[in-house]
Amino acid sequence: HLEDEIKIYSIFRSYVLGVFAITAVLIIIFMRHTIVLPLRRLRTAAEDIEKGEFRISVDIKSKDDIGKLGNAFNKMARTLGVLFDEQKLMQERLKEHTGELEEKVRERTSELERFGFQLQKLYEISFINWADPKQFASSTIDEVAKMLDVDVAAIGRIEGDEWIGYAVADNKGMGLKEDIHFPLDEIYCG
């Protein structure tokens, strides 16, 4: 009778060990499916984000904490993508505006250099010992007309009801000359 009990105990023990082994395998499969694989997907997605790929989504369908972690991760990736795109756009705009500002600075610098050169010429003209004041006025008005980039400039005097040209710079060949007379009651523009 003892041998039968040992045999029954041995069979029972084999069944119990088999049930434990099958349960352990099922638990391992369940853990792998619900924890390990989703965590691997999260790790792979995190590596993609590290490389600058923000348009990714981790597909975790469970409703437990791992699922919540996956959803939070997806929201974070989208937010980072939007922020990264905005930063790139701002950098492009900044680069664009910097180029425009540099161009404006070059233009203004060129204008200032030209104006400085012209002022230097006027300064030099003012120190020439002119024997003829009319020649001085003519040289000065020529330089002023060039500086202002105008078609005609003149220095004149008023006598009675007339304006009389004293020195004229006619850059367009409009026929204006010294000693030209204009009545003061007429208005001239152009």
Side-chain angles (χ1 to χ4, degrees):
H1 183 62
L2 185 59
E3 284 180 15
D4 287 337
E5 282 186 27
I6 291 177
K7 202 177 201 183
I8 291 173
Y9 177 73
S10 207
I11 291 172
F12 178 72
R13 185 178 60 173
S14 295
Y15 283 131
V16 169
L17 284 176
V19 168
F20 277 133
I22 291 172
T23 304
V25 167
L26 291 175
I27 288 173
I28 289 171
I29 291 172
F30 176 77
M31 296 283 285
R32 178 174 169 77
H33 181 71
T34 59
I35 296 174
V36 175
L37 291 178
L39 287 177
R40 280 188 184 164
R41 282 188 237 136
L42 282 170
R43 185 188 72 214
T44 302
E47 289 169 353
D48 289 343
I49 286 177
E50 183 180 14
K51 294 174 188 169
E53 178 57 46
F54 298 105
R55 307 244 187 286
I56 58 169
S57 179
V58 180
D59 187 26
I60 301 174
K61 296 185 184 346
S62 66
K63 304 281 186 214
D64 60 4
D65 288 341
I66 298 292
K68 290 178 183 177
L69 178 63
N71 289 334
F73 186 88
N74 290 337
K75 287 179 185 175
M76 178 193 71
R78 282 192 301 272
T79 301
L80 284 174
V82 167
L83 292 173
F84 188 75
D85 290 345
E86 286 177 0
Q87 180 190 17
K88 282 175 71 174
L89 180 64
M90 294 302 266
Q91 285 176 337
E92 289 171 6
R93 286 182 180 167
L94 180 62
K95 191 175 184 180
E96 206 175 277
H97 290 302
T98 301
E100 291 172 4
L101 285 174
E102 287 174 352
E103 179 61 28
K104 286 181 181 179
V105 166
R106 278 192 292 275
E107 289 173 6
R108 296 298 185 252
T109 301
S110 176
E111 289 174 12
L112 287 172
E113 287 172 349
R114 234 180 8 259
F115 187 69
F117 176 74
Q118 293 165 342
L119 283 177
Q120 178 64 31
K121 286 189 86 171
L122 283 176
Y123 179 76
E124 290 169 2
I125 288 173
S126 69
F127 280 101
I128 295 174
N129 190 8
W130 297 96
D132 179 13
K134 201 168 197 171
Q135 188 181 8
F136 169 73
S138 181
S139 293
T140 302
I141 200 66
D142 281 342
E143 289 303 320
V144 169
K146 287 177 191 173
M147 282 175 57
L148 298 176
D149 192 26
V150 294
D151 298 335
V152 176
I155 298 174
R157 66 184 185 280
I158 296 175
E159 288 185 10
D161 59 350
E162 282 189 317
W163 179 89
I164 301 170
Y166 184 73
V168 176
D170 185 358
N171 296 329
K172 290 288 185 176
M174 298 174 76
L176 299 176
K177 297 183 176 149
E178 295 172 7
D179 294 325
I180 194 165
H181 293 248
F182 289 110
L184 287 179
D185 59 349
E186 296 181 21
I187 299 175
Y188 298 95
C189 344

